[in-house]
Amino acid sequence: MKSKRNALIGAALSAVMALGIASDAEARTKLKLSHYLPSVHGIHTDFIVPWTKQVAECSGGEVEFEVFPAGTQLGNVARQQEQVVAGVVDIAHGLHGIPRGRFPRTSLIDMPFLTDDAGAATHALWQLLPGVLAEEYKGLKVLALHAHNGGLLHTRGKKVETMEDMKGLRIRTPSPAVSDMLSFLGATPQGLPPGEVYENLQRGVLDGTVFPWDPVKSFGLNEVLSNHLDLGAYTVSFFFVMNERSYARLSPKARACIDQYSGEALVAKFDAWWDAWDKPGRDEAVAAGHVITELSDAERERWRKALQPMIDAYVQKVKNGGVANAEEIYRLMQEKIAAYKAAK
């Protein structure tokens, strides 16, 4: 009788322990986070990995992360938006311009000579998100929007100093607005993911690319480039978003942790981050003896005036594509950028 009672007690204790283990397992949530950059890039090392650690620690281990960078099955730049909308991943960081046409409102920030300052562009995007940009993020919890510093024109072989030097060059482009800019200047834009630029430069399929300095370093492009024009004529924007269903499934504590380390607190960091990420690429080009040409003020103004018809046409094209307030969005971006710079 005693042994039977002990057996029952043992069984009951085992059941309680099993229930406790199951409850603990159920309380832990692993979130998939994807982006398209190599794991050596500052976006991965300085931004995404520390962010996941902060949120995980804040949640007391309730939330865990599995990160998929470039080179993994979920690291394709062209699929970041669709993956997070479909719930294939819970969080994604990607480019607004790839694939084309999915963020026409937000991508107005890419317009030529609107700004060459990551902080100003990032500030404008975040300020406009709750209003004129909100339409583009249905089903998504926006954790951050940001942009890089002014892009340069990098070439293999040919030195570019004037608009006329652009004619006939095959240049990799990151977004529709930059594509129109390159076409207007006589170049032939080539839409390619960043990870394919090295090979195409090496094979002579491309004559050059537009990038800020940081991907020149992280994708090893200084090995196949020789000239750099500090154009500062455009910026490109990025999203860091979470599937709304994934966010809603979390506990109030876990959601609060994500909120704490996202939004305004996160957006404010990108200005200094981009400056730091750009420096190694430029330093490497200098050490390699590359030619770095600064666009003169007079030549810059010449480019700006020459591109005004293209800017007007692009805004109209966005409007014709269904964004009735495209002109208003572009004007608001100009105002937010000007206000940011005035306050700096």
Side-chain angles (χ1 to χ4, degrees):
M1 191 72 178
K2 185 176 181 181
S3 62
K4 185 176 181 181
R5 185 172 65 250
N6 288 342
L8 289 170
I9 292 171
L13 287 172
S14 296
V16 169
M17 290 176 64
L19 182 62
I21 292 169
S23 298
D24 183 63
E26 288 170 3
R28 294 180 181 273
T29 301
K30 179 170 282 189
L31 299 175
K32 292 181 179 179
L33 189 161
S34 68
H35 68 87
Y36 69 95
L37 290 155
S39 57
V40 295
H41 192 283
I43 291 262
H44 182 89
T45 60
D46 300 337
F47 158 30
I48 287 177
V49 170
W51 183 87
T52 62
K53 290 180 178 178
Q54 287 172 326
V55 173
E57 183 177 346
C58 172
S59 73
E62 178 185 332
V63 175
E64 300 172 344
F65 293 90
E66 187 174 7
V67 180
F68 298 88
T72 65
Q73 68 269 36
L74 298 175
N76 185 335
V77 64
R79 305 199 63 186
Q80 296 308 307
Q81 187 257 6
E82 66 185 49
Q83 287 176 167
V84 72
V85 169
V88 175
V89 298
D90 302 289
I91 301 172
H93 179 270
L95 276 167
H96 283 111
I98 300 178
R100 295 173 64 108
R102 295 191 178 178
F103 296 93
R105 296 165 179 80
T106 307
S107 294
L108 284 166
I109 201 74
D110 300 353
M111 297 289 278
F113 293 105
L114 182 56
T115 183
D116 62 355
D117 184 321
T122 300
H123 171 80
L125 291 171
W126 192 249
Q127 290 293 308
L128 296 177
L129 172 63
V132 294
L133 302 183
E135 175 75 14
E136 297 184 336
Y137 300 93
K138 289 181 178 179
L140 296 171
K141 162 78 172 174
V142 182
L143 306 177
L145 300 178
H146 66 100
H148 65 51
N149 282 327
L152 296 85
L153 175 68
H154 313 272
T155 50
R156 177 181 174 88
K158 183 175 181 178
K159 180 182 178 182
V160 176
E161 294 181 282
T162 68
M163 288 188 294
E164 289 73 20
D165 295 332
M166 295 285 292
K167 294 189 183 303
L169 294 181
R170 297 159 299 176
I171 307 295
R172 178 263 174 184
T173 177
S175 72
V178 177
S179 294
D180 283 10
M181 178 186 78
L182 293 171
S183 294
F184 194 85
L185 294 170
T188 302
Q190 306 288 317
L192 286 173
E196 296 180 18
V197 173
Y198 184 105
E199 180 184 358
N200 282 279
L201 282 168
Q202 190 178 47
R203 291 168 50 211
V205 175
L206 290 177
D207 299 304
T209 183
V210 284
F211 271 134
W213 279 114
D214 78 280
V216 172
K217 169 69 175 177
S218 57
F219 288 102
L221 299 181
N222 274 319
E223 297 175 8
V224 288
L225 294 167
S226 57
N227 294 278
H228 313 268
L229 177 64
D230 196 352
L231 186 59
Y234 77 97
T235 188
V236 162
S237 59
F238 308 79
F239 57 80
F240 185 49
V241 296
M242 184 171 186
N243 181 287
E244 275 189 348
R245 297 185 302 277
S246 297
Y247 179 76
R249 283 195 293 264
L250 298 177
S251 72
K253 178 182 179 180
R255 292 198 298 269
C257 289
I258 286 175
D259 293 346
Q260 179 180 341
Y261 291 103
S262 305
E264 195 68 44
L266 178 57
V267 165
K269 298 178 180 180
F270 284 102
D271 191 8
W273 271 342
W274 279 111
D275 288 344
W277 297 337
D278 280 341
K279 188 176 184 301
R282 191 181 194 284
D283 289 349
E284 186 179 73
V286 170
H290 292 185
V291 176
I292 301 174
T293 304
E294 298 283 341
L295 200 65
S296 69
D297 290 341
E299 185 66 16
R300 185 181 300 277
E301 185 59 26
R302 192 171 157 253
W303 288 55
R304 189 194 309 274
K305 287 181 177 178
L307 285 167
Q308 191 59 51
M310 171 257 138
I311 293 169
D312 295 339
Y314 187 86
V315 174
Q316 186 61 45
K317 182 166 67 174
V318 173
K319 185 175 181 179
N320 293 344
V323 182
N325 61 338
E327 291 158 333
E328 177 196 7
I329 296 171
Y330 183 57
R331 175 181 55 78
L332 288 171
M333 286 177 173
Q334 290 175 308
E335 291 174 1
K336 295 295 183 184
I337 287 167
Y340 177 89
K341 290 186 174 182
K344 206 171 179 182

